[in-house]
Amino acid sequence: MQHFTKTRIAPTPSGYLHLGNALSFALTAALARKTGAKILLRIDDLDHQRINLSYVQDIFDTLNFLDIPWDEGPRDVQEYQSTWSQMHRIGLYKDALQQLADQRDVFACQCSRSQLQGGIYPGTCRNLSLPLDTPDTTWRLYTDERELIIKTLNDGSITIHLFDEMKDFIVKKKDDYPAYQLASLVDDIHFGVDLVVRGEDLYPSTIAQHYLADVLDAGVFKNITFHHHPLLMESGDKKLSKSAGATSIKYLRDQGKTAGEVYTEIGRILGVGKDLRSF
Ligand SMILES: [Zn+2]
């Protein structure tokens, strides 16, 4: 097994964490143990309209309940607010956005979600040359078909290009905050992360972030190793959602379940029994 310096657990406090989050955290912790990596707790809170402090508290309660350790990051809501919120790193994100603007790698887009065609951006504003400071616009990256290389565990790599759904993906939102792809990349570089463990639903994002790293000439990011794990599915191949009450860890805690019982339940859904590490 390779050795790594740092990995991260990066929940968004927009709902109560569920069994799928618990699986992702447990796998991250297991890989950290195996590879010598420290764990950073990063709370992704830029989507401020959906953020709620009771969900932040739930992150700490869940990690403590599941006995998942972390070496760096906030220990409680107060430390999160005073030091670790992404709001404290807005300047870093703005620098990256400014670099993209200076390089003329972005364009302003006034389209709404409903103007996407089957989830794919048709390039409507690509050649409109709207000023970048036009109110109520997003910034999109001009993307092409370039090949990207993603490092994977055990010294492997994947050569791939951007998925169609990520064409000209958004780097700045209409509310002027950076989009997830940009903030996540900037944070991973800022904190010196070299191992990212995440669900395979984020695979298109991983590719988009490599694209962004290429444009920003952020070679450090390309050295990060990525591991994408399968998701926990409810019956009928439905992704677990944060709104699904019965699968929230808080609900299970309130029902008096033990951490062991929660892990057993995850193993049962996965069909791997109790040994998550075989997953
Ligand atoms: Zn547009």
Side-chain angles (χ1 to χ4, degrees), residues 66-242:
L66 295 173
D67 211 11
I68 291 173
W70 68 102
D71 305 283
E72 187 181 357
R75 308 312 302 188
D76 54 36
V77 171
Q78 198 247 322
E79 282 188 16
Y80 149 76
Q81 287 182 307
S82 67
T83 311
W84 293 93
S85 163
Q86 286 185 308
M87 296 300 161
H88 296 294
R89 300 192 293 281
I90 287 287
L92 294 178
Y93 313 136
K94 290 229 149 109
D95 288 347
L97 286 169
Q98 190 58 49
Q99 183 184 341
L100 294 174
D102 292 345
Q103 293 175 184
R104 302 191 189 289
D105 281 314
V106 285
F107 61 94
C109 165
Q110 55 194 355
C111 299
S112 63
R113 227 171 256 261
S114 62
Q115 281 165 279
L116 300 185
Q117 294 170 352
I120 297 172
Y121 182 63
T124 316
C125 307
R126 229 177 187 257
N127 302 310
L128 291 185
S129 302
L130 294 170
L132 287 179
D133 59 0
T134 308
D136 208 28
T137 56
T138 61
W139 286 6
R140 287 181 177 274
L141 198 66
Y142 287 108
T143 64
D144 56 37
E145 293 284 301
R146 74 183 69 180
E147 286 195 328
L148 303 158
I149 297 171
I150 297 170
K151 285 178 76 170
T152 58
L153 279 181
N154 304 319
D155 291 318
S157 70
I158 297 166
T159 303
I160 197 161
H161 52 77
L162 212 55
F163 289 178
D164 282 349
E165 69 196 78
M166 300 305 286
K167 258 187 196 165
D168 294 349
F169 62 90
I170 292 172
V171 293
K172 185 175 78 68
K173 298 182 292 177
K174 284 190 177 174
D175 62 7
D176 264 351
Y177 281 95
Y180 167 74
Q181 310 301 355
L182 184 126
S184 187
L185 169 143
V186 167
D187 277 350
D188 282 333
I189 293 172
H190 174 69
F191 288 109
V193 165
D194 60 357
L195 172 66
V196 172
V197 181
R198 51 169 52 153
E200 60 191 6
D201 55 329
L202 284 174
Y203 192 49
S205 289
T206 296
I207 303 169
Q209 288 163 23
H210 278 75
Y211 195 105
L212 197 49
D214 200 45
V215 174
L216 288 166
D217 201 19
V220 170
F221 189 85
K222 300 181 193 176
N223 278 323
I224 300 177
T225 292
F226 285 80
H227 178 64
H228 298 89
H229 61 79
L231 299 179
L232 274 193
M233 294 296 181
E234 286 179 286
S235 48
D237 280 357
K238 232 177 102 230
K239 212 171 113 179
L240 292 180
S241 81
K242 282 185 181 152

Side-chain angles (χ1 to χ4, degrees), residues 5-57:
T5 304
K6 197 186 287 182
T7 186
R8 83 287 202 287
I9 286 172
T12 301
S14 59
Y16 290 114
L17 297 171
H18 55 65
L19 289 172
N21 300 115
L23 168 65
S24 195
F25 299 164
L27 289 172
T28 306
L31 269 171
R33 256 196 318 273
K34 266 193 199 171
T35 64
K38 301 268 190 230
I39 300 175
L40 162 74
L41 172 62
R42 183 184 99 194
I43 297 180
D44 283 2
D45 61 350
L46 283 177
D47 199 356
H48 50 105
Q49 275 158 354
R50 294 165 59 219
I51 304 308
N52 180 317
L53 281 188
S54 63
Y55 300 143
V56 176
Q57 183 60 51

